[in-house]
Amino acid sequence: MSGAAYWLPVVFAGLMALSMLIYVVLDGYDLGVGLLLPFASNDEKDMMIASIGPFWDANETWLVLGVGLLLVGFPLAHGIILGELYLPVALMLAGLIVRGVAFDFRVKAREPHKPWWNVAFACGSLLAALTQGVMLGRYLTGFADGWLAWGFALLAGIGLAAAYTLLGAGWLIMKTSGALQAKAVAWARRSLAGAGLSVLLVSVATPLASSHIAAKWFALPEFLLLLPLPLGCIVLFATLWVILPRLAVRQAAGNDNWCWAPFACTVGVVLLSFWGLTYSVFPEVVIGRLDIWHAASDTAALWVIFWGAAVVLPVILLYTAFVYRVFHGKANALTYQ
C-alpha cells in the first residue's frame, strides 16, 4: 500500500487522536470542577461555575469532532467500538445531558431548588468522567470478557476521574483568588496522591491486560526510547508535590505568581500519558482486530472528508483560541441579566 491510500488513514488517525487529546484536557478540567463542586460553599459554587462558563460548551466540540472523524474516516471501527461500548456511551451522554441542563437551570433556580441542580451538575460530571475511563479501559483490553477485564475498566474509570479532579483543581488555582483559591490548592494536594496512584496502577495494569501492548512496550530498544515517558510523569508529579504547599504560602501573602504552574504540570502528565497510549495502540484502531488501513473509508471518500476537515479544524482551533484569549485572567462573579 502506498500513496494516498497509505498516508490518508494515518492523517485521519492523527486528527482523531488530536481531537480526543484536546477534549481530555479542555473538558477534563470542567468535569473536574464539577467533581469538586460539592466541597465548596454556595458563593464558591457560583464562582466555580463562572470560571468554566465561557468555555465548557466549546470544550465538548472536540468530542463531537473526534467521534465524527471516527465515523467518516473509519466506519468499520466505528461500528465495532460503539457496538461494544453501547452502555457506557449511553451513560456518558446521559451524564453530559444532565450537566448541561443543570448548568443552565441552577442559575435562575429559586434558592430551595438550587442545591438540587448543584447535585445534578456534580453527579453528571462524575458519571461522564467514570464512563469515559471505563470506555478507555474496555478499549485497551480489546473488549475482552471476564471480571479481570471489567475490573481494569473500572480502575481506568476511577483513574480518569482522579486525573480530572486534579485538572479541575489546577484550573481553579489559576482562575480564582482568595478563599476559593486556597481551597483549590488544598483540593489539588489531596487529589495529587490519588491521581498519581491511579496513573501508576493503570500503567502497570495496561500491559498485563493486553499482551499486544506489553510486547510493544518491553521490546528493546523501544523500552529505552519510551522510558522518558514514565520518568517525565514522575518528575511532573514530584514538581506538583513540591510547589503546591509553597504556592499556598505565596498566595496567602498576596503573591499570585506561578498560579498557572499546577494546571500546566497536570496537562503535561496528560500529554505524556496520551503519548504512551497512542504508541501502545497505533496503527491498530481496534486492538487485535483492525488496523487503520483496513478500517478506513475508500480513498476517494477520504479525500473529500480531508478537505472538509482542512476547513473545519482550523476554524475550531481559531475559535477556541479566541474564546480563551477573550476570557483570560481571573474569573468574575456569574451574573445573568
Side-chain angles (χ1 to χ4, degrees):
M1 188 179 297
S2 61
Y6 177 82
W7 63 263
L8 271 175
V10 176
V11 169
F12 273 88
L15 292 176
M16 186 173 64
L18 177 64
S19 300
M20 300 312 297
L21 172 61
I22 296 176
Y23 171 76
V24 168
V25 172
L26 297 187
D27 207 40
Y29 75 72
D30 67 56
L31 285 168
V33 169
L35 293 172
L36 292 168
L37 201 68
F39 307 104
S41 66
N42 288 333
D43 290 340
E44 290 169 346
K45 286 182 174 67
D46 289 339
M47 185 59 71
M48 292 167 70
I49 296 297
S51 75
I52 64 174
F55 312 107
W56 77 289
D57 275 333
N59 294 344
E60 293 182 352
T61 303
W62 294 100
L63 177 63
V64 177
L65 179 62
V67 175
L69 287 172
L70 176 64
L71 171 62
V72 299
F74 308 101
L76 290 177
H78 178 273
I80 294 173
I81 292 172
L82 291 192
E84 294 284 355
L85 298 178
Y86 179 84
L87 180 58
V89 167
L91 292 174
M92 179 192 71
L93 292 176
L96 294 176
I97 291 169
V98 168
R99 287 181 78 236
V101 172
F103 185 94
D104 289 327
F105 275 74
R106 70 174 298 283
V107 177
K108 294 191 176 182
R110 296 174 182 261
E111 195 56 39
H113 302 141
K114 192 172 182 178
W116 292 104
W117 290 117
N118 289 331
V119 170
F121 188 83
C123 290
S125 300
L126 178 62
L127 182 59
L130 289 175
T131 50
Q132 286 175 15
V134 168
M135 286 189 286
L136 174 62
R138 296 290 297 143
Y139 178 76
L140 289 175
T141 58
F143 312 112
D145 296 323
W147 66 271
L148 280 176
W150 278 101
F152 173 74
L154 292 175
L155 175 63
I158 295 170
L160 189 62
Y164 283 169
T165 302
L166 186 58
L167 268 174
W171 175 260
L172 291 173
I173 293 170
M174 183 171 61
K175 297 292 287 185
T176 63
S177 57
L180 178 55
Q181 188 184 49
K183 277 189 176 182
V185 173
W187 292 334
R189 295 178 67 180
R190 294 189 188 114
S191 61
L192 180 60
L197 181 61
S198 297
V199 170
L200 174 63
L201 292 176
V202 171
S203 299
V204 172
T206 297
L208 295 176
S210 172
S211 58
H212 169 83
I213 294 176
K216 294 188 70 173
W217 270 88
F218 296 111
L220 291 174
E222 288 83 355
F223 175 77
L224 297 177
L225 296 174
L226 294 168
L227 197 57
L229 298 183
L231 293 179
C233 286
I234 292 172
V235 169
L236 289 171
F237 275 117
T239 302
L240 283 167
W241 185 270
V242 171
I243 67 172
L244 282 171
R246 297 183 180 182
L247 201 61
V249 174
R250 291 164 63 93
Q251 289 170 346
N255 185 347
D256 200 30
N257 293 333
W258 298 90
C259 64
W260 51 268
F263 184 74
C265 288
T266 309
V267 170
V269 171
V270 173
L271 291 175
L272 291 174
S273 301
F274 195 87
W275 185 4
L277 289 173
T278 302
Y279 170 79
S280 301
V281 173
F282 186 82
E284 294 185 308
V285 67
V286 180
I287 297 175
R289 301 194 201 181
L290 281 175
D291 62 28
I292 57 175
W293 296 284
H294 288 94
S297 298
D298 181 75
T299 302
L302 287 179
W303 269 119
V304 175
I305 304 163
F306 173 80
W307 292 116
V311 174
V312 171
L313 187 62
V315 170
I316 298 175
L317 283 170
L318 288 172
Y319 171 74
T320 301
F322 175 75
V323 169
Y324 278 85
R325 176 65 183 86
V326 169
F327 295 101
H328 76 285
K330 297 294 183 180
N332 297 316
L334 184 66
T335 58
Y336 282 74
Q337 299 297 329

